[in-house]
Amino acid sequence: MHVMDLLYARAQMGLSLAFHILFAAAGIALPLLMVLSDLKARWTRDPDYTALSVKLAKGTAILFAVGAVSGTVLSFELGLLWPGFMGTWGEVIGLPFALEGTAFFTEAVFLGIYLYGRDRISPGLHLFSGVMVALSGAASAFFVTLVNTFMNDPVGFTLTAGGPVDVDPVAAMFSPGWVHQTSHTLLACYQASAFAMVGIHALVLLRHPGLAFHRKALSVALPLACLSALVQPLVGHQSAEHVARAQPVKLAAAEGLFQTQRGAPLSVGGLPDVETGTMRYALELPRGLSLLAFSDPNAEVKGLDAFPRDEWPPVTKVHLAFQVMVGAGSAMALLALVTLVLRWRRGAWPEGRRMLGAWLVCGPLGAVAMEAGWLVTEWGRQPWILRGVMRTADAVTPVGSLAVPFWTFTLVYLFLGVMVVFLLVRQVAGTVPHARAPHEVAHAH
């Protein structure tokens, strides 16, 4: 196959996943926020929380529809662009795909009940349907992530010249590292969505101080944003420890470690120079990598020199994506910690302009960190589509002219993205007054 067709196939799959993951993440997290709003409405009898749950339900429906479209496209692309992978390994890893479909169907059914049953079924049954939407959405992400875990740690079969035999679908589904990777992914979905929601409402409050609806929306989203931001680094650390043992070449690329060494330093920032095998402009913390990866400051960490050159991932891209993920995650964790300290001292969520401005700036960081983390996972596995078993170049379709579907789907995703932003902006704008009388402004202050 022509090298450009391989690049177009990878680019199309990457574009589809980068688009899908944003809307899928929101579709996973918004139902939880929707249920939390419903619970607060039941506890407080406050109509603003009911209105918030209605708007979150509409947002969930919009994102669910776009996620369904982009997810369907992805399922076709897996078979059409990568027949070498799906044709050979589909029977090994087909179980989580089937379970994900079941979870998706369940989510669709209960979302319909939640959307159209608010005034037609009992409040308890309506709340139950919302809980089922949240659980089935999380289950869908869980099963899809198991497939990616298998691609990074393939087990559950015996490899022969004719392909996999003695297949154990359950062992393949729960390959090593599944706990860390699924936890990391689900937390990223909740964190990205909660931070985005806080950022949106912070923007409205900066422009229109005192709007009660948006203050109450912050009280729903801030706890989830702070909790996920503080737990995520701990889960990410455990995931990195697993990567250090199971995928050392990915860790070496992420850290720009070219030489195997004991007491390996931790590189903060910097730019890898693959030609000379050095890191430029990096701040190195002595023995930091050995300590974080193996809980031993003198532990040996394998560098890129321990692996054949043709099995190196794209070092510069992996390192930069990893630095973006860690940097964004650290900023969010710091903001969450400051917010919780102020909440503890003042007995209320902070609403000052500085804190609202900080949340506005950090609002997109959850999505940035999630996309960067996904790039680390995927780029760090290259040149393998199934690590150590099948190379990406061996799995791609022999059909040429892949530039045509790439640009076609790029335009489709661009159109869908614009429409989704337009619809979501209308949902938020519906709660913002166009103008307020002077006595209302004074009362708000």
Side-chain angles (χ1 to χ4, degrees), residues 142 145-146 149 153 173-183 242:
F142 174 80
T145 306
L146 289 179
T149 306
D153 279 308
M173 184 168 71
F174 294 104
S175 59
W178 70 270
V179 174
H180 307 124
Q181 192 161 336
T182 55
S183 301
H242 172 75

Side-chain angles (χ1 to χ4, degrees), residues 29-38 40 48-49 52-53 56 187 189-203 205 212-230 332 335-336 339-340 343 349-350 356 359 362-363:
L30 286 190
L32 176 59
L33 292 163
M34 175 183 77
V35 169
L36 293 175
S37 300
D38 259 347
K40 295 203 76 170
D48 279 341
Y49 288 115
L52 178 61
S53 71
L56 287 171
L187 272 173
C189 293
Y190 295 126
Q191 183 178 359
S193 302
F195 265 77
M197 180 173 169
V198 174
I200 290 170
H201 292 286
L203 173 61
L205 286 172
F213 176 85
H214 295 278
R215 293 203 315 271
K216 293 168 186 175
L218 285 184
S219 73
V220 172
L222 274 172
L224 180 60
C226 292
L227 178 63
S228 58
L230 293 177
M332 288 186 287
L335 178 58
T339 300
L340 289 176
R343 173 71 174 81
W349 293 107
L356 289 176
W359 277 100
C362 290

Side-chain angles (χ1 to χ4, degrees), residues 292-305:
L292 289 176
F294 297 101
S295 301
D296 179 0
N298 297 311
E300 180 180 88
V301 181
K302 289 185 178 180
L304 290 163
D305 63 339

